[in-house]
Amino acid sequence: MGAGLVGAAGLPASAAAGDTTPPSAPGALWHCPLPAAPGSGLGIGVSLCWGAATDDVGVTAYDVQVKQDGVFTAIRTTTGPGSIVSGLTLGQSYTFRVVAKDAAGNAGPPSNELTASAGYLSGMPPSSPPPSPSPIDRTPPTRPEGPEPYAAYVNGAAGLTWTKSTDDVAVTGYTVYAWIDGAFTPVTAQLSSSGDRVVGVVYNLTPGRDYLFYVVAKDAAGNLSAPSDLVRQRAMVEPPVASPSPGTDTTPPGTPTGMATVTGMDIPGGIFLAWYTVSDDSGIPPRYDLFRRTDHGYAYEGENGTPRDIVTGLEGGKPYTFQVVARDTAGNLSNPSAPYTAIAQPGGTSSPSPSVSPSQSASSGSGCRVTYAATTWDGGFTTTVTITNTGTAIVDGWKLAFSFPLASQRLTNGWSAVWTQTGTAVTAENYAWNKTLKPGQSLYLGFNGTYTGENPKPAAFTLNGTTCS
């Protein structure tokens, strides 16, 4: 993009004291010819006009924004309802919107979005705005319901079907996502419809492999629906094999059922989930993959060797919906469990996605206290660990260490820390989002484990080398 997209002028330094009311959205944004002499050479770009916004004190500026890599960025600031954006590429389309601001720096809602192609800027009399501009569409489509497998008799193809979404204007399409190599990825699907159902067929998959899918609807304004439930489908092997090769496991595990919240454990901003154990024809207990529904997709909460998981880093008091899938050693997937919605315990706040930051620092004034609370059942246990900074200095990066008394005690997976076990020695290191521990502050983390015989508590704990009480 050319020089015309660089640097927007700032707002005035003065602000109206006590003004917290933002301006209204600007009126209709449209592409207007320039009011300049015919033949004026102003380069390549787009000229924009819009209706004036209103404010309880007064509008002082308008930010002209352009969408770049899916994000709107301010490229011009003007005081009047019009602007020239130059330095663009001839014939390329750009999407703009405008935001009004007042003297206190309050920003109002954006105008409608306008997509226009850059051309030669030459003066012509300005045209009039549309007589009755359409309101901005901010209503998303309904989520696709009732996703089911659909037979597609093409080698490496997987078919799905779901109930059509509805929208206040019109649904313009659907995006299908597939769980591939540990992440959900948008995939190309051939779509067709019959009655109130949509059929989507995804090609070029690995024949005989199980996949998880979900679907999101979209409208012309770019609004996205909530995601459909998860659905499992196996990519077609065509022509079909008469019988599996000896020793080839193609039977999926049973479908997990009975998901429920486990009570009695204090987990601020967390949810303790458990479900019924399922079996597999191999005789080896399957693993479990837990997924949490988000606004427009699913977050992977991790793998578990036992039918339970503790999810942390949530917003206390907010509902969250989960589905779990069993997976055997051959990679066969079960059908997803029925969706289950639970409320996060009070006291937690949303946390950013963790990224490992292994730095630790011990300082004077250090002190710590660790509590270790294990819930034990036959062959397994879940432990909540609370670390409290009892010193007078901030801990900026931490590493908790302890040893299991018995070699038969094994860590399987953990949360809110990077957990490792070597022999009987166990360590938990901070993520970037929870590396700081202020004086008097506590952190809540934990893990799942297995044992045989007895499950005694570790005798001692250290934090950055300091022995904790």
Side-chain angles (χ1 to χ4, degrees):
M1 207 171 277
L5 296 184
V6 179
L11 289 174
S14 62
D19 181 12
T20 60
T21 302
S24 68
L29 172 65
W30 78 98
H31 182 202
C32 57
L34 297 171
S40 299
L42 299 176
I44 296 172
V46 174
S47 57
L48 304 172
C49 296
W50 57 88
T54 60
D55 184 69
D56 61 332
V57 177
V59 174
T60 59
Y62 296 92
D63 280 349
V64 179
Q65 302 177 348
V66 66
K67 184 182 285 187
Q68 297 173 302
D69 297 327
V71 177
F72 279 98
T73 303
I75 57 169
R76 287 284 185 276
T77 297
T78 180
T79 57
S83 178
I84 298 171
V85 181
S86 61
L88 306 182
T89 301
L90 182 64
Q92 182 170 323
S93 293
Y94 299 84
T95 299
F96 302 90
R97 71 181 188 184
V98 179
V99 173
K101 293 184 177 180
D102 62 17
N106 301 307
S111 70
N112 60 294
E113 296 179 13
L114 172 71
T115 299
S117 297
Y120 292 103
L121 297 169
S122 58
M124 294 176 62
S127 63
S128 299
S132 56
S134 300
I136 300 173
D137 179 10
R138 303 185 188 278
T139 303
T142 60
R143 65 188 294 258
E145 299 285 354
E148 297 176 351
Y150 181 87
Y153 296 100
V154 176
N155 197 48
L160 313 170
T161 179
W162 59 89
T163 301
K164 289 181 179 179
S165 296
T166 60
D167 186 65
D168 61 332
V169 179
V171 175
T172 58
Y174 299 88
T175 302
V176 178
Y177 292 82
W179 180 253
I180 300 174
D181 298 329
F184 278 113
T185 304
V187 292
T188 301
Q190 181 177 310
L191 303 179
S192 61
S193 60
S194 176
D196 67 344
R197 301 287 291 180
V198 179
V199 173
V201 179
V202 181
Y203 297 95
N204 300 317
L205 302 175
T206 301
R209 178 176 172 180
D210 288 338
Y211 292 86
L212 293 177
F213 297 94
Y214 69 86
V215 184
V216 174
K218 56 186 176 182
D219 64 17
N223 299 305
L224 300 178
S225 74
S228 71
D229 292 344
L230 295 175
V231 59
R232 164 199 172 268
Q233 175 64 307
R234 179 167 294 177
M236 180 63 67
V237 178
E238 184 67 23
V241 179
S243 61
S245 302
T248 300
D249 179 7
T250 61
T251 304
T255 302
T257 60
M259 185 180 290
T261 303
V262 179
T263 59
M265 183 179 293
D266 186 21
I267 313 170
I271 300 172
F272 189 174
L273 298 170
W275 51 90
Y276 295 137
T277 302
V278 300
S279 60
D280 185 65
D281 64 333
S282 67
I284 301 173
R287 311 290 291 182
Y288 300 94
D289 294 309
L290 183 66
F291 299 90
R292 173 174 53 84
R293 186 186 299 169
T294 62
D295 289 343
H296 307 299
Y298 284 86
Y300 182 52
E301 293 295 347
E303 174 193 85
N304 294 274
T306 53
R308 55 192 57 84
D309 197 357
I310 295 179
V311 182
T312 58
L314 306 177
E315 184 176 345
K318 181 178 177 180
Y320 295 86
T321 300
F322 301 87
Q323 286 182 270
V324 65
V325 176
R327 170 172 44 87
D328 67 17
T329 55
N332 299 305
L333 302 180
S334 74
N335 288 320
S337 69
Y340 175 75
T341 300
I343 306 296
Q345 291 187 23
T349 56
S350 299
S351 301
S353 299
S355 59
V356 176
S357 177
S359 61
Q360 296 89 30
S361 63
S363 58
S364 59
S366 61
C368 53
R369 181 175 65 251
V370 173
T371 59
Y372 180 100
T375 301
T376 302
W377 59 92
D378 186 19
F381 63 103
T382 295
T383 300
T384 298
V385 179
T386 305
I387 305 172
T388 302
N389 182 359
T390 60
T392 58
I394 295 175
V395 177
D396 184 22
W398 49 265
K399 181 177 181 179
L400 176 72
F402 61 88
S403 293
F404 286 130
L406 302 176
S408 60
Q409 294 171 290
R410 304 299 301 174
L411 168 76
T412 57
N413 68 293
W415 52 92
S416 298
V418 180
W419 291 88
T420 58
Q421 180 176 355
T422 303
T424 60
V426 178
T427 60
E429 299 185 52
N430 66 269
Y431 284 120
W433 58 268
N434 64 357
K435 66 179 294 187
T436 302
L437 188 57
K438 299 178 181 179
Q441 182 182 0
S442 296
L443 291 175
Y444 303 89
L445 47 148
F447 63 92
N448 291 325
T450 60
Y451 73 97
T452 56
E454 297 182 350
N455 186 35
K457 174 183 175 180
F461 302 86
T462 63
L463 188 71
N464 294 346
T466 298
T467 300
C468 300
S469 59

